[in-house]
Amino acid sequence: MGTPDFAVPPLGYLVQNNYDVLAVYTRVDRPSGRGRAIAASPVKTAALELGLTVKQPQNLKGPETLAEMAALKPDAIVVCAFGQILPRAVLDLPNFGCFNIHPSLLPRHRGAAPMPAAILCGDD
């Protein structure tokens, strides 16, 4: 589960190291740039280039989305800058849990700009 450029390298790592990526969840395509043309997220673009299945639910709370995710029977879910809060039903799905990759120390620098906040505070 991820959306921006920051989430592309972890996806590539999983594929390169032969992890079985059942599906990639990312945000719904939306207008971008000056022309406001509909654009795919960087994660969607990378996933399609890797030949992976892409899912773009409006939210993760709908019964159809939850049933679809449950049918995948994931052992783990890797989350990296996904952009939605995962409901308890999603957190409880995988056998080994959900793993959140975050660009800074949590909970100290949560929010919209965790990397700049860490730099401004002088964190390593």
Side-chain angles (χ1 to χ4, degrees):
M1 300 180 123
T3 298
D5 288 322
F6 177 78
V8 172
L11 175 60
Y13 177 88
L14 292 170
V15 172
Q16 290 170 358
N17 287 279
N18 300 313
Y19 286 91
D20 189 13
V21 178
L22 304 174
V24 175
Y25 283 74
T26 190
R27 72 155 194 255
V28 176
D29 296 347
R30 62 183 185 193
S32 178
R34 288 185 180 261
R36 306 304 292 159
I38 300 296
S41 74
V43 165
K44 178 181 180 181
T45 301
L48 292 174
E49 288 173 1
L50 293 166
L52 300 171
T53 299
V54 175
K55 305 288 185 180
Q56 296 179 278
Q58 199 68 28
N59 68 62
L60 299 175
K61 296 177 184 177
E64 303 86 20
T65 299
L66 290 172
E68 182 179 75
M69 290 181 79
L72 293 172
K73 299 181 181 171
D75 286 328
I77 295 176
V78 178
V79 184
C80 184
F82 179 54
Q84 293 184 38
I85 295 174
L86 275 59
R88 173 58 52 194
V90 172
L91 293 172
D92 290 341
L93 279 175
N95 297 325
F96 299 108
C98 296
F99 299 90
N100 184 27
I101 299 171
H102 198 275
S104 83
L105 300 172
L106 288 173
R108 184 172 177 191
H109 301 302
R110 53 183 347 134
M115 289 183 277
I119 293 167
L120 289 170
C121 288
D123 292 346
D124 291 335

